[in-house]
Amino acid sequence: MLRLNTSGIGSRLGLKGDPVPCIQCDRREPGLSWGDFCTVCREDRRRKANRVAQRYAVIAALILAAWLLWKTPPTFTQRIFGAASVLLVYLIIRRAVSLIIQEYLPKELK
Ligand SMILES: [Zn+2]
């Protein structure tokens, strides 16, 4: 009789079958796909990318803030919208640049 595996134990065991080495530090970790970074390396890359991305986001937000101060009339509503857009640009640029850097950061040989 054909029985579907609905418990998930088989797939979990299949995923954790053999520990796969990280492409950067050769630490073997179960559940890792081939050519992927381990959790330690991924966290390290994420921290480095966030540091660089924060700089780009601050620069972009400052440019937008200066432009808004220069171009928009100094009314309360305009200032509120300006502050909200500066905050939004900061968050979006930081997230986008961080993801791009994490994707294209070269692996370090240790
Ligand atoms: Zn690693």
Side-chain angles (χ1 to χ4, degrees):
M1 182 179 153
L2 181 67
R3 210 174 135 205
L4 294 173
N5 185 10
T6 54
S7 62
I9 293 172
S11 59
R12 249 186 283 137
L13 285 175
L15 255 181
K16 293 192 182 238
D18 311 321
V20 174
C22 167
I23 61 168
Q24 185 166 298
C25 67
D26 286 339
R27 180 197 326 268
R28 290 188 168 266
E29 197 170 276
L32 203 67
S33 55
W34 285 98
D36 207 357
F37 294 97
C38 68
T39 51
V40 176
C41 291
R42 205 175 303 135
E43 179 63 23
D44 190 42
R45 290 168 67 85
R46 193 187 61 79
R47 227 179 304 113
K48 281 179 188 166
N50 278 347
R51 210 178 313 129
V52 176
Q54 190 172 14
R55 265 181 250 142
Y56 284 106
V58 165
I59 290 169
L62 285 178
I63 290 171
L64 179 66
W67 186 80
L68 285 173
L69 278 175
W70 181 45
K71 280 289 186 181
T72 56
T75 60
F76 182 72
T77 313
Q78 293 290 332
R79 290 293 147 108
I80 291 294
F81 276 108
S85 59
V86 166
L87 184 68
L88 205 62
V89 160
Y90 172 79
L91 292 174
I92 290 172
I93 295 284
R94 182 175 169 171
R95 180 80 179 134
V97 171
S98 174
L99 288 178
I100 290 169
I101 290 175
Q102 281 177 59
E103 190 64 37
Y104 293 108
L105 196 70
K107 70 173 186 176
E108 296 165 7
L109 297 174
K110 292 174 183 172

